[in-house]
Amino acid sequence: MTEIPPTPPSPTPSQDSRYKPPMRFSKPKPPPLPKRFVLLLVEPEKWAQAAMYPTSVTFWPLAWAIIIAALCMGFSMSAHSIKPLQAFAASYDQHYLPMQLNKGQLSIIMPKGKTKLVPLKVQSPYETVLVNTNLSGASTLATYPLIALFNRTDLILTGTKMRQPMVVMPMAQLQQEMLLANGAITPAAVKTTPVAKLPPVQINAQTLQKFFTAAAPVVVLVLGAVASLFFAGAYVLWTLLMVFLTGFLVMSINRNIGMPLRVAWRISMAVMIPLLVLRGLLAVFGVVPAINHSPMTDQIIYMAPIGLALWAAILANRIFSKPTGGQTRKL
């Protein structure tokens, strides 16, 4: 009688060379980009789960966040800059002498008798606005860091920060813009009327208020675009620094599951997304201005990624240290 040999036991996962433990930090299909962006804003668990996807999956929501924050900050700052200009215009007659633009030239109107009013001069540690119709050039103002000089014929930007004086606007163009803003001439007439035949226009509180109101959209657009580029660059540097530093914190907290530094950086990138968007929204709603003068507030804002990265690291450790199918998964 022939004996039937016993059936060999099936190979265990450790005996089968073809067995590969599932990759805990890799997932084939992430959510669509818009949905992924929203989830990273509202669900802290998604910060930890960013470790499961390639770096590019988290990079694009992070790029969106930087752009949104920069635009919010830039245009918020430019919009709020209109209010000081309007306040300055409203109080102009109380402090400064009126001026007149005629035939493309600026002149100061001197009232009869004594007056406490003076020609326009606004000075700060960073820049100065000065009216001096007796200056034909700007060489005598080289000691100022940055100065906008209104002389008889031009608006000149000069100072120690400028390599050479730059004519920003001829007085003839300013006269045209003031006339348009105050409704004294039509756009069609501006193009056909010689400067010498344009009606004169005074510069006082009333005309300045109308001028700043008409120029506000252009000022907000131009200044907002420039400021947004500045904030975008600043946020890129802040993000790179915070991702680099907090990555080591995330990796050290998850050393028991063998998380590599490159995976920890994915979590650090995800943490920056809600912080960037939140900073932009705080500026839009005026909770924290775009240019904040409180060192304590700035310190809290710019060090916040450390606290959120710690939270995300603990969440990641809880999620990925759980065994699956009776086997503890490894990288």
Side-chain angles (χ1 to χ4, degrees), residues 241-324:
L241 177 62
M242 288 294 102
V243 168
F244 178 78
L245 294 178
T246 58
F248 291 96
L249 173 65
V250 174
M251 182 183 66
S252 63
I253 292 176
N254 289 277
R255 62 184 180 274
N256 63 310
I257 58 175
M259 179 178 289
L261 181 59
R262 59 181 173 80
V263 174
W265 279 337
R266 299 174 193 168
I267 297 177
S268 298
M269 291 168 61
V271 163
M272 292 299 300
I273 294 171
L275 285 175
L276 286 162
V277 175
L278 177 62
R279 182 63 186 98
L281 293 178
L282 289 176
V284 169
F285 293 106
V287 179
V288 179
I291 303 298
N292 181 43
H293 300 288
S294 172
M296 180 62 69
T297 304
D298 282 338
Q299 187 174 3
I300 293 173
I301 291 173
Y302 291 113
M303 299 307 290
I306 297 177
L308 291 190
L310 177 62
W311 183 10
I314 295 173
L315 289 175
N317 196 272
R318 291 176 180 175
I319 294 173
F320 299 120
S321 61
K322 295 179 180 179
T324 300

Side-chain angles (χ1 to χ4, degrees), residues 174-187:
L174 180 59
Q175 182 180 351
Q176 293 172 335
E177 298 294 339
M178 292 287 292
L179 288 169
L180 285 171
N182 285 271
I185 197 171
T186 63

Side-chain angles (χ1 to χ4, degrees), residues 207-226:
T207 57
L208 280 175
Q209 284 180 306
K210 292 181 179 179
F211 175 73
F212 287 139
T213 300
V218 177
V219 172
V220 170
L221 182 62
V222 175
L223 182 59
V226 174

Side-chain angles (χ1 to χ4, degrees), residues 1-326:
M1 182 176 180
T2 306
E3 295 184 359
I4 300 176
T7 304
S10 59
T12 61
S14 60
Q15 294 172 335
D16 189 352
S17 60
R18 296 172 298 176
Y19 172 79
K20 293 182 180 180
M23 295 297 294
R24 298 163 48 214
F25 301 115
S26 177
K27 193 172 183 178
K29 187 177 180 180
L33 179 56
K35 181 179 179 180
R36 186 162 73 248
F37 177 75
V38 174
L39 290 175
L40 286 169
L41 289 178
V42 299
E43 291 191 19
E45 291 80 5
K46 299 301 179 183
W47 308 339
Q49 293 173 7
M52 298 188 300
Y53 305 104
T55 303
S56 60
V57 173
T58 309
F59 171 81
W60 291 113
L62 179 60
W64 278 24
I66 291 175
I67 293 172
I68 291 172
L71 291 174
C72 288
M73 296 287 283
F75 284 96
S76 173
M77 187 189 73
S78 63
H80 285 89
S81 68
I82 298 298
K83 294 181 180 179
L85 292 176
Q86 292 174 336
F88 164 78
S91 63
Y92 181 88
D93 291 347
Q94 303 173 17
H95 305 285
Y96 305 109
L97 290 169
M99 296 179 286
Q100 180 175 266
L101 286 165
N102 188 23
K103 297 181 180 180
Q105 294 188 352
L106 178 68
S107 60
I108 298 175
I109 301 174
M110 298 298 297
K112 296 179 180 180
K114 294 182 179 180
T115 179
K116 295 181 180 180
L117 302 180
V118 297
L120 176 62
K121 183 177 181 180
V122 180
Q123 191 167 4
S124 73
Y126 307 102
E127 58 187 355
T128 302
V129 178
L130 174 66
V131 172
N132 192 331
T133 57
N134 296 321
L135 288 178
S136 58
S139 59
T140 58
L141 303 173
T143 56
Y144 289 89
L146 186 64
I147 180 169
L149 168 66
F150 290 81
N151 64 16
R152 185 173 295 277
T153 58
D154 300 293
L155 166 58
I156 301 173
L157 191 63
T158 184
T160 57
K161 294 184 178 181
M162 302 286 295
R163 294 184 178 180
Q164 59 183 6
M166 180 177 63
V167 176
V168 177
M169 180 185 297
M171 288 297 113
Q173 181 181 347
L174 180 59
Q175 182 180 351
Q176 293 172 335
E177 298 294 339
M178 292 287 292
L179 288 169
L180 285 171
N182 285 271
I185 197 171
T186 63
V190 166
K191 298 178 181 180
T192 58
T193 305
V195 175
K197 295 184 179 181
L198 287 173
V201 57
Q202 281 199 12
I203 298 179
N204 52 35
Q206 182 180 1
T207 57
L208 280 175
Q209 284 180 306
K210 292 181 179 179
F211 175 73
F212 287 139
T213 300
V218 177
V219 172
V220 170
L221 182 62
V222 175
L223 182 59
V226 174
S228 296
L229 291 175
F230 168 79
F231 281 113
Y235 284 149
V236 167
L237 295 177
W238 178 42
T239 299
L240 289 175
L241 177 62
M242 288 294 102
V243 168
F244 178 78
L245 294 178
T246 58
F248 291 96
L249 173 65
V250 174
M251 182 183 66
S252 63
I253 292 176
N254 289 277
R255 62 184 180 274
N256 63 310
I257 58 175
M259 179 178 289
L261 181 59
R262 59 181 173 80
V263 174
W265 279 337
R266 299 174 193 168
I267 297 177
S268 298
M269 291 168 61
V271 163
M272 292 299 300
I273 294 171
L275 285 175
L276 286 162
V277 175
L278 177 62
R279 182 63 186 98
L281 293 178
L282 289 176
V284 169
F285 293 106
V287 179
V288 179
I291 303 298
N292 181 43
H293 300 288
S294 172
M296 180 62 69
T297 304
D298 282 338
Q299 187 174 3
I300 293 173
I301 291 173
Y302 291 113
M303 299 307 290
I306 297 177
L308 291 190
L310 177 62
W311 183 10
I314 295 173
L315 289 175
N317 196 272
R318 291 176 180 175
I319 294 173
F320 299 120
S321 61
K322 295 179 180 179
T324 300

